[in-house]
Amino acid sequence: MLVEMYRDMLGKKSVIRELSEFATARGREIGYENVFDYSLGNPSVPVPQAFTDEMIRLLQETDSNVLHGYSPSLTIPSVRTAVAESLKKRFGIPYEMDHIFMTSGAAGAIAHAVRMIAKAGDEILTFAPFFPEYHPYVDHAGPVLKVVPAQTDTFQINFAAFEEMLSEKTAAVLINSPNNPSGVVYSEETLTRLAQILTARSREYSHPIYLITDEPYREIVFDGKAAPCPSKYYDNTIMCYSFSKSLSIPGERIGYVAVNPACEDAKTLIQMCGQISRGIGHNCPTSIVTQVMGEIPDATSDLSVYETNMNLLYDALTELGFTVNRPDGTFYIFPKALEDDAVAFCRKAMKYDLILVPADGFHAPGYFRIAFCTDTEKVKRSLPVFKKFVEAEYR
Amino acid sequence: MLVEMYRDMLGKKSVIRELSEFATARGREIGYENVFDYSLGNPSVPVPQAFTDEMIRLLQETDSNVLHGYSPSLTIPSVRTAVAESLKKRFGIPYEMDHIFMTSGAAGAIAHAVRMIAKAGDEILTFAPFFPEYHPYVDHAGPVLKVVPAQTDTFQINFAAFEEMLSEKTAAVLINSPNNPSGVVYSEETLTRLAQILTARSREYSHPIYLITDEPYREIVFDGKAAPCPSKYYDNTIMCYSFSKSLSIPGERIGYVAVNPACEDAKTLIQMCGQISRGIGHNCPTSIVTQVMGEIPDATSDLSVYETNMNLLYDALTELGFTVNRPDGTFYIFPKALEDDAVAFCRKAMKYDLILVPADGFHAPGYFRIAFCTDTEKVKRSLPVFKKFVEAEYR
């Protein structure tokens, strides 16, 4: 019989997807260029030429049975080595091949990380605002995702609430920095304090509380800064990375799990990935895409447009009177709505063909998300529309 | 803490993998050309040029954000349509886009199929000899895989044992035709009788018993025949397909689930795939590979070498006195060992650098598998070695 858990999910359409569908329908009506669709976090800067060139080179020069053949169950050794070396050089952490497992993007990485260290009855804590897909990633694996309320003044961590929610049952804490949707990067201070608490509680409960870090926006940080690497602050860290955002290749499903070499049972955890993959039918990520990443592990698209867009929107929104933290990175900005009900706010915005996402799904009611991965020219054209909307509805 | 289920699996190394590792080590010692490695089912005929050409064309001609962008949650509509049309034309079953979900190979397809219709407490029956990876695909999803003993004279279905094992708890039956490891294709008679039994028992138990069909070897059938399509015999069929074997691209992880349009809740089942994908972190298969398959859904490699190899081996083994069914398809042949203990038999063969796989893992003790996806020239060179081995050890 049909498994109810999945069938019941069909009714619950994602708000983001509904908005995006509205935007598409409206675009057909009035022209796509006239709909300011800020709903989807779909990278918009071109894929780097190096990615395309490398894939064509592999197709032209490699024996087809080797290029497209089965990967070993722990994924391709040369690529794992290339990723380890890149991380080692960049963060000064002594990663080796045995600490890396290539995955189908960060989704695959988190799905593996959760299954390594948590099962039914366990809890995984995350912090609002958070990416709603964490729910299926965690809940379908067996444990339960619990959400620590947001610290809305800074969108760093609400430590008071966090310390209350930690318990014997906590198997792991899942963070996302740079953060979708708030654009915040967790500071050194935040990561240090987080590590101190996790270390103390691991001792108290006599079992490690792992830190799972979702880091797909790591390369999109503004003002010439870099995001502090959570693994440097806490040994029992399982890093989950995706090349989706940095290379604009979200459809190619490529990323990795990197277990901190200082983590308890680090190499065993990676070996377990191979077993987890068998059960979820994931096996290895696509052979050719994996091999490309082994050749160009440090490549990125030209990501500067996101900073340009952010500055334009931040300045305009501030001038219009919005309460908004200036994002440290990502391609999201996260203002407070101009009325308590952000859903009503976003619905009114739709009348002006501004597609904004209310943050109720991110567990931050009263806020909304703008995904500014779009042309700068279009961002500029949207600014007077924001002004018109605010003045007509809220003045 | 480390999840025991996965950690405990680490000790249990696959026999096939151990044999393959021995073959590799031995190859380094005496030269790979002198080791007759019949252990792994890794396709050996070249990938069709059309696949390579189409991928290069997409890379050169498509906007990179479109080519590498997110796929919709139910996978790319144009590709689902192309697959539906190809199946409709070939099998006369009225598949439409809404009956197709693209997956990461047959492994991904089976992992989805199992999760659609079975949960903890349910049973899925399969027939020996069978591909041992069915265990993680099924057991990790919650239900239990139960194995119906082999009908060793023909390797069709042992219906007496099957009827005894069916029960209220049976959610689905999982078949593999053409079969790994026996090479048998289920006959029209077998599929008709299977359908009759499933229909009767579904009625008796007041719930549908689904038929999940694993069909990656469908294009590798000998003597100009075609494998009967199980979906034509039973409405509640969930077809699981992979392009791995027909195009020699097992590393690219591309296949599909096709739910019979006449299946109960057919379109709902496909929609559920999108939800299942979220939880297992699989999401869609790789965008570029999916798009290639949409362009060339009917392409195959030149698969004729497998038939040539089969005939050489079948004739030689028969002449040497082996009891062996002539395979109908696949790139496997499945003789009875020359002593009761097939592990001992295969161990003796290793002394002659013949790497054969004892079928204990396939639930057919006393038999062994030869995966003849290798050069015909090497198959020919192996024949006198088989002779030498048999004459020295068993005459």
Side-chain angles (χ1 to χ4, degrees):
Chain A
M1 280 183 286
L2 273 58
V3 173
E4 298 300 328
M5 176 173 85
Y6 299 114
R7 186 161 66 175
D8 291 351
M9 291 169 75
L10 295 180
K12 296 169 197 151
K13 255 193 157 173
S14 131
V15 177
I16 300 181
R17 202 159 277 272
E18 267 182 70
L19 285 164
S20 157
E21 282 167 13
F22 168 85
T24 307
R26 183 75 178 138
R28 271 193 293 268
E29 213 174 294
I30 64 165
Y32 295 102
E33 69 284 6
N34 298 313
V35 180
F36 302 101
D37 184 1
Y38 283 122
S39 65
L40 279 184
N42 231 336
S44 58
V45 299
V47 176
Q49 191 60 39
F51 181 91
T52 306
D53 291 347
E54 188 56 34
M55 195 177 277
I56 291 174
R57 190 187 68 78
L58 287 171
L59 284 161
Q60 287 173 337
E61 296 179 10
T62 317
D63 176 278
S64 69
N65 291 123
V66 174
L67 181 60
H68 304 296
Y70 280 116
S71 299
S73 56
L74 292 179
T75 71
I76 301 172
S78 61
V79 179
R80 296 166 69 201
T81 300
V83 167
E85 280 174 5
S86 160
L87 288 174
K88 187 170 157 184
K89 196 167 153 192
R90 180 154 165 204
F91 299 116
I93 301 171
Y95 290 101
E96 293 170 11
M97 182 190 88
D98 292 342
H99 304 112
I100 310 294
F101 179 84
M102 303 302 295
T103 62
S104 294
I110 296 170
H112 278 75
V114 168
R115 282 165 177 79
M116 286 176 199
I117 49 81
K119 54 186 190 309
D122 292 340
E123 291 179 2
I124 293 187
L125 300 186
T126 196
F127 302 96
F130 74 104
F131 182 47
E133 288 298 294
Y134 290 169
H135 266 302
Y137 299 164
V138 173
D139 299 346
H140 289 198
V144 173
L145 184 73
K146 298 236 164 162
V147 183
V148 180
Q151 178 82 10
T152 50
D153 53 343
T154 61
F155 293 116
Q156 298 281 327
I157 286 176
N158 180 339
F159 281 107
F162 174 53
E163 293 203 73
E164 254 178 54
M165 289 176 70
L166 277 166
S167 81
E168 271 283 357
K169 289 186 179 173
T170 312
V173 171
L174 170 54
I175 63 171
N176 172 220
S177 170
N179 183 268
N180 171 13
S182 74
V184 85
V185 169
Y186 283 173
S187 66
E188 298 205 11
E189 194 193 338
T190 293
L191 294 171
T192 302
R193 189 159 164 205
L194 177 62
Q196 283 164 351
I197 294 169
L198 291 178
T199 302
R201 294 296 183 104
S202 294
R203 200 176 304 128
E204 187 183 334
Y205 304 141
S206 304
H207 68 78
I209 299 175
Y210 293 92
L211 181 63
I212 302 174
T213 67
D214 177 25
E215 308 186 31
Y217 300 100
R218 187 171 64 203
E219 323 322 331
I220 310 175
V221 178
F222 306 139
D223 306 318
K225 292 185 187 160
C229 173
S231 299
K232 291 179 78 165
Y233 298 81
Y234 187 62
D235 287 349
N236 287 328
T237 297
I238 303 169
M239 178 196 286
C240 297
Y241 186 74
S242 168
F243 293 99
S244 295
K245 315 294 179 179
S246 55
L247 293 169
S248 294
I249 52 168
E252 303 307 352
R253 318 303 310 133
I254 186 76
Y256 55 80
V257 167
V259 176
N260 193 327
C263 179
E264 278 186 42
D265 302 307
K267 294 183 181 181
T268 305
L269 285 168
I270 289 296
Q271 284 166 29
M272 288 166 68
C273 285
Q275 304 302 327
I276 293 167
S277 281
R278 294 166 70 191
I280 63 181
H282 157 285
N283 295 96
C284 298
T286 297
S287 172
I288 186 168
V289 177
T290 306
Q291 289 175 69
V292 172
M293 293 323 308
E295 298 298 323
I296 53 165
D298 299 314
T300 71
S301 296
D302 175 3
L303 303 166
S304 61
V305 63
Y306 298 133
E307 184 159 359
T308 306
N309 292 355
M310 182 279 288
N311 280 318
L312 285 167
L313 281 162
Y314 177 74
D315 291 346
L317 292 165
T318 307
E319 193 165 316
L320 285 171
F322 282 91
T323 301
V324 55
N325 275 291
R326 186 165 177 276
D328 302 312
T330 75
F331 39 59
Y332 306 110
I333 189 166
F334 200 60
K336 203 168 193 306
L338 294 177
E339 59 183 296
D340 289 346
D341 182 350
V343 177
F345 173 84
C346 294
R347 194 164 288 139
K348 284 177 192 156
M350 284 165 81
K351 291 191 288 181
Y352 300 83
D353 298 311
L354 284 171
I355 316 298
L356 315 172
V357 176
D360 298 62
F362 301 105
H363 277 230
Y367 288 78
F368 66 98
R369 187 186 81 172
I370 297 176
F372 51 74
C373 33
T374 184
D375 287 346
T376 298
E377 177 274 328
K378 200 165 181 183
V379 171
K380 282 183 182 161
R381 280 197 290 119
S382 78
L383 301 181
V385 182
F386 271 104
K387 192 167 183 217
K388 191 175 153 197
F389 158 52
V390 168
E391 288 181 348
E393 303 285 339
Y394 296 96
R395 288 287 146 82
Chain B
M1 278 180 288
L2 272 58
V3 173
E4 298 300 327
M5 176 173 83
Y6 298 114
R7 188 163 62 176
D8 291 351
M9 290 168 77
L10 296 180
K12 295 168 197 153
K13 255 195 158 174
S14 134
V15 176
I16 300 180
R17 201 160 279 272
E18 267 182 71
L19 286 164
S20 157
E21 283 167 12
F22 168 85
T24 306
R26 183 77 177 138
R28 272 193 293 267
E29 211 174 297
I30 63 166
Y32 296 100
E33 70 284 6
N34 298 314
V35 180
F36 302 101
D37 184 1
Y38 284 121
S39 64
L40 278 184
N42 231 336
S44 58
V45 299
V47 175
Q49 191 61 37
F51 182 92
T52 305
D53 291 347
E54 187 56 34
M55 195 176 277
I56 291 174
R57 191 187 68 77
L58 286 171
L59 284 161
Q60 287 172 336
E61 296 179 10
T62 318
D63 176 278
S64 68
N65 291 123
V66 173
L67 181 60
H68 303 296
Y70 280 117
S71 299
S73 56
L74 293 178
T75 71
I76 301 172
S78 60
V79 179
R80 297 166 69 201
T81 301
V83 166
E85 281 175 4
S86 159
L87 289 174
K88 188 171 156 181
K89 196 168 154 192
R90 179 155 166 202
F91 298 116
I93 300 172
Y95 289 102
E96 292 170 13
M97 181 190 89
D98 292 342
H99 304 111
I100 310 294
F101 180 83
M102 303 302 294
T103 63
S104 294
I110 297 170
H112 278 73
V114 168
R115 281 165 178 79
M116 288 176 197
I117 49 83
K119 53 185 191 310
D122 293 339
E123 291 179 1
I124 295 186
L125 301 187
T126 197
F127 302 96
F130 74 105
F131 182 46
E133 287 299 292
Y134 290 169
H135 266 300
Y137 299 165
V138 173
D139 299 345
H140 289 198
V144 172
L145 184 73
K146 298 234 164 164
V147 182
V148 180
Q151 178 82 8
T152 50
D153 53 342
T154 61
F155 292 116
Q156 297 281 329
I157 286 176
N158 180 339
F159 281 108
F162 174 53
E163 293 203 75
E164 254 177 54
M165 289 176 70
L166 278 166
S167 80
E168 269 285 355
K169 289 185 179 174
T170 312
V173 170
L174 170 54
I175 63 171
N176 173 220
S177 170
N179 184 269
N180 171 12
S182 73
V184 85
V185 169
Y186 284 173
S187 66
E188 297 205 13
E189 193 194 340
T190 293
L191 293 172
T192 303
R193 189 159 165 204
L194 177 62
Q196 283 164 349
I197 294 168
L198 291 178
T199 303
R201 294 297 183 105
S202 294
R203 200 176 303 126
E204 185 183 335
Y205 303 141
S206 304
H207 69 78
I209 299 175
Y210 294 91
L211 181 64
I212 302 174
T213 67
D214 177 24
E215 309 185 32
Y217 300 100
R218 188 170 65 202
E219 323 322 332
I220 310 175
V221 178
F222 307 138
D223 305 319
K225 293 184 187 161
C229 173
S231 298
K232 291 179 78 166
Y233 298 80
Y234 187 63
D235 287 349
N236 288 328
T237 297
I238 304 170
M239 178 196 287
C240 297
Y241 186 74
S242 168
F243 293 100
S244 294
K245 315 295 179 178
S246 54
L247 292 169
S248 294
I249 53 168
E252 303 306 353
R253 317 304 311 132
I254 187 75
Y256 55 79
V257 167
V259 176
N260 193 327
C263 178
E264 278 186 44
D265 302 306
K267 294 184 181 180
T268 304
L269 285 168
I270 288 296
Q271 284 166 30
M272 287 166 69
C273 285
Q275 305 302 327
I276 294 167
S277 280
R278 294 166 69 192
I280 62 182
H282 157 284
N283 294 97
C284 299
T286 297
S287 172
I288 187 168
V289 178
T290 307
Q291 288 176 71
V292 171
M293 293 323 307
E295 299 298 322
I296 52 165
D298 300 314
T300 70
S301 296
D302 174 2
L303 302 166
S304 61
V305 63
Y306 297 133
E307 184 159 358
T308 307
N309 291 355
M310 182 279 289
N311 280 318
L312 284 166
L313 282 160
Y314 177 73
D315 291 346
L317 292 166
T318 307
E319 193 166 316
L320 284 171
F322 282 91
T323 301
V324 54
N325 275 292
R326 186 164 177 277
D328 302 311
T330 77
F331 39 60
Y332 306 111
I333 188 166
F334 200 60
K336 204 168 191 308
L338 295 178
E339 59 182 299
D340 288 346
D341 182 350
V343 176
F345 173 84
C346 293
R347 193 163 290 139
K348 284 178 193 158
M350 284 164 82
K351 291 192 286 181
Y352 300 83
D353 298 310
L354 284 172
I355 316 299
L356 315 172
V357 176
D360 299 64
F362 301 105
H363 277 231
Y367 288 78
F368 66 98
R369 187 185 80 171
I370 296 176
F372 51 75
C373 33
T374 186
D375 287 346
T376 298
E377 175 275 328
K378 200 164 179 182
V379 171
K380 282 183 183 161
R381 278 198 290 119
S382 78
L383 301 180
V385 182
F386 272 103
K387 192 168 183 216
K388 190 174 153 199
F389 158 52
V390 169
E391 287 181 348
E393 302 285 339
Y394 297 97
R395 289 286 145 82

